[in-house]
Amino acid sequence: MKPKLDLTKEYGLVLEGGGAKGAYQIGAWRALKEAGVKIKGVSGTSVGALNGALICMDDLEKAENLWANISYSQVLDVDDKLMGRLFDKSQMTGEFWRETLKEAFRMLTEGGMDIAPLRRLIEDNVDEDVIRKSPMDFYSCTYSLTDRKELNVDMKTVPEGQMKDMLLASSYLPGFKNEKLHGKTYVDGGATNVLPMDVLLEHGYENLILLRIFGVGREKKVSIPEGVTVVEIAPQVNLGNTLQFDAARSRRNMRLGYYDALRVIYGLQGKIYYIEQTQEECYYLKQLVRAGQDTRRELLEAYELNTEAESELREFVEVFLPLLAVELKLTKDWNYSSLYLTVLEHAARFLKVPRYRVYTVQELLGETVARLRSQGIPEGFPDYAKLILGEEPISEEFLQKGPGQEKTVHEEEE
């Protein structure tokens, strides 16, 4: 695949705060690293600051191991089983709520959640010397309650031995037991600046990549100077709760971050799947109209449209396809490629075609058709999904053919 992102440029990486959702950023970093994206500097808030430290250390293996094996008790002084049940609705029994209220009362009487485990996690995983020697700039955002002001901290200029404390200072969420650090009290940087892109702009960065995780906090309004480019890598699904430090979810979020970053780096299409799109627009119109005449008429009848033979194809293209685009909630500037890919994605998802892989259009079509053959037509399969099959009718004979016995649309053209 050929990158769409300009790999000749140097980029500033902005890491949003968001607690347990931070695993997503490490997955995205892997994709950026593999593609050869040059990172000049990073700025981060809260978990974004911690991930920024790991990125400055250039230790992907350490970062992935940390997140792949994360647990609640590595961050907070809590019981892992109790916290796991808190995010599992099926476990919310009367006994569970009694245990939860008892634990919450204990934390309140002790001044909040003890984050001594988080301090240890930072101590065990962050190497101050390596960061100071890194060629990358590194900034973290926090808020000083003592001074009543937001701080964008140049982490390489803090006094020796205080870097890890300043990482902790960026992560004091409300409800955490807050202890003074070097005579001052801090609160999570997300209170004023959950997405600290301003600090990189102030230092002259002209190309930014934002790693969004949509954490709780205030997103500061920033004016983007003329000539500055901003690229955003962001999830389209819920990453979970800010405090959901669950290893399985973190591994899933890392994988999601990796593929979402590939989508941006290589210009992949699709909203559900990751599709390498290499065909011209006319190709997709041709695929849509190659649906068998019986299929087209069936769809026209469902929409109470004209099915007369002499005008059936025109009615299908000029009336039905625009109506389908509206039904599928495409934007007003939809085109035939976006319509076809949306139909294909819906069919693939319905048939549970694996999501985490880069497909060509023909590969995703092939996987989808293969599942139709092996599973048959499942209940609720949308009628419009028949459009992806071209001239092949959806019949028992078609579904019973062995793999490779029929030609795909692409093979027929060749």
Side-chain angles (χ1 to χ4, degrees):
M1 294 185 294
K2 184 178 180 181
K4 301 296 183 182
L5 197 67
D6 190 343
L7 299 186
T8 66
K9 295 180 178 179
E10 291 185 320
Y11 292 87
L13 204 58
V14 182
L15 302 157
E16 185 172 16
K21 303 178 185 183
Y24 179 91
Q25 296 172 339
I26 298 303
W29 176 37
R30 169 178 275 279
L32 293 169
K33 190 176 177 66
E34 289 179 351
V37 177
K38 301 181 184 72
I39 300 174
K40 181 182 177 184
V42 298
S43 65
T45 293
S46 193
V47 73
L50 173 58
N51 283 336
L54 298 170
I55 291 171
C56 284
M57 291 165 56
D58 197 28
D59 195 336
L60 178 61
E61 183 178 0
K62 179 185 284 288
E64 289 182 330
N65 284 338
L66 187 160
W67 281 105
N69 298 290
I70 198 73
S71 65
Y72 299 98
S73 60
Q74 286 182 306
V75 181
L76 305 166
D77 183 19
V78 294
D79 180 84
D80 283 322
K81 290 184 179 180
L82 180 62
M83 291 299 292
R85 291 170 64 190
L86 183 62
F87 295 104
D88 183 353
K89 293 181 180 179
S90 67
Q91 298 292 316
M92 293 184 181
T93 62
E95 180 185 356
F96 162 76
W97 285 115
R98 285 192 293 273
E99 290 180 34
T100 301
L101 289 172
K102 182 179 178 181
E103 183 70 9
F105 181 76
R106 178 187 69 81
M107 291 178 183
L108 286 173
T109 58
E110 294 177 358
M113 294 186 189
D114 186 353
I115 58 171
L118 176 58
R119 182 186 289 276
R120 289 193 295 271
L121 183 145
I122 293 173
E123 183 67 35
D124 293 342
N125 289 279
V126 174
D127 191 319
E128 182 173 335
D129 291 336
V130 172
I131 293 173
R132 290 187 185 277
K133 294 174 183 176
S134 169
M136 297 182 197
D137 299 327
F138 179 29
Y139 306 94
S140 73
C141 178
T142 186
Y143 184 84
S144 172
L145 288 175
T146 302
D147 300 319
R148 295 187 179 181
K149 69 177 182 179
E150 177 187 315
L151 300 175
N152 286 321
V153 182
D154 183 339
M155 297 295 277
K156 291 188 176 183
T157 66
V158 299
E160 291 284 342
Q162 294 188 19
M163 185 182 292
K164 295 176 183 179
D165 285 340
M166 293 313 297
L167 287 175
L168 193 62
S170 184
S171 304
Y172 274 124
L173 286 168
F176 286 2
K177 184 184 291 185
N178 203 316
E179 300 171 353
K180 287 188 176 182
L181 297 170
H182 309 287
K184 294 188 177 183
T185 302
Y186 299 90
V187 70
D188 189 286
T192 58
N193 194 2
V194 74
L195 186 69
M197 57 190 299
D198 55 323
V199 61
L200 293 183
L201 293 174
E202 290 167 4
H203 284 83
Y205 279 71
E206 296 182 347
N207 302 287
L208 302 182
I209 298 175
L210 313 184
L211 296 188
R212 304 299 309 269
I213 52 177
F214 304 115
V216 176
R218 175 176 176 266
E219 188 174 331
K220 182 187 290 187
K221 291 184 179 179
V222 176
S223 177
I224 306 299
E226 186 176 352
V228 170
T229 61
V230 178
V231 175
E232 183 174 283
I233 298 172
Q236 298 184 48
V237 298
N238 186 357
L239 297 180
N241 189 282
T242 300
L243 295 179
Q244 198 169 358
F245 290 98
D246 173 77
R249 179 169 285 273
S250 289
R251 289 193 290 270
R252 170 223 171 201
N253 286 345
M254 272 199 290
R255 183 171 57 177
L256 182 63
Y258 177 78
Y259 280 94
D260 282 355
L262 290 183
R263 190 196 302 282
V264 172
I265 295 167
Y266 296 102
L268 302 177
Q269 300 299 303
K271 293 184 177 180
I272 304 167
Y273 292 86
Y274 303 89
I275 306 170
E276 184 183 7
Q277 202 280 91
T278 59
Q279 303 292 341
E280 299 293 332
E281 181 70 7
C282 59
Y283 169 86
Y284 295 99
L285 174 58
K286 187 174 182 179
Q287 305 320 304
L288 289 166
V289 300
R290 283 173 68 89
Q293 190 177 53
D294 289 345
T295 298
R296 291 201 302 266
R297 285 185 174 177
E298 179 184 337
L299 292 170
L300 289 173
E301 287 175 356
Y303 281 74
E304 300 181 352
L305 299 175
N306 188 357
T307 60
E308 294 179 7
E310 64 273 11
S311 60
E312 174 257 323
L313 183 57
R314 183 172 181 175
E315 189 85 348
F316 180 81
V317 173
E318 296 183 0
V319 182
F320 171 74
L321 293 183
L323 285 174
L324 181 59
V326 172
E327 181 180 331
L328 296 178
K329 299 180 180 179
L330 300 187
T331 59
K332 291 182 179 180
D333 59 348
W334 69 273
N335 53 28
Y336 296 121
S337 62
S338 64
L339 178 57
Y340 179 85
L341 292 177
T342 300
V343 171
L344 176 56
E345 285 193 288
H346 282 205
R349 181 173 63 178
F350 201 95
L351 294 163
K352 298 182 180 179
V353 173
R355 177 182 180 186
Y356 294 107
R357 171 185 158 189
V358 176
Y359 293 92
T360 64
V361 176
Q362 290 74 28
E363 286 171 343
L364 185 56
L365 175 62
E367 291 282 348
T368 304
V369 171
R371 287 187 174 241
L372 270 175
R373 289 203 200 107
S374 64
Q375 300 174 13
I377 304 173
E379 184 178 352
F381 189 70
D383 286 340
Y384 62 76
K386 298 175 184 178
L387 292 174
I388 67 171
L389 298 171
E391 293 177 337
E392 293 279 13
I394 295 186
S395 64
E396 288 303 316
E397 180 183 1
F398 171 73
L399 294 173
Q400 290 171 4
K401 289 180 181 178
Q405 291 184 20
E406 89 301 337
K407 293 181 178 179
T408 66
V409 171
H410 182 61
E411 290 171 332
E412 286 176 341
E413 288 190 331
E414 292 181 339

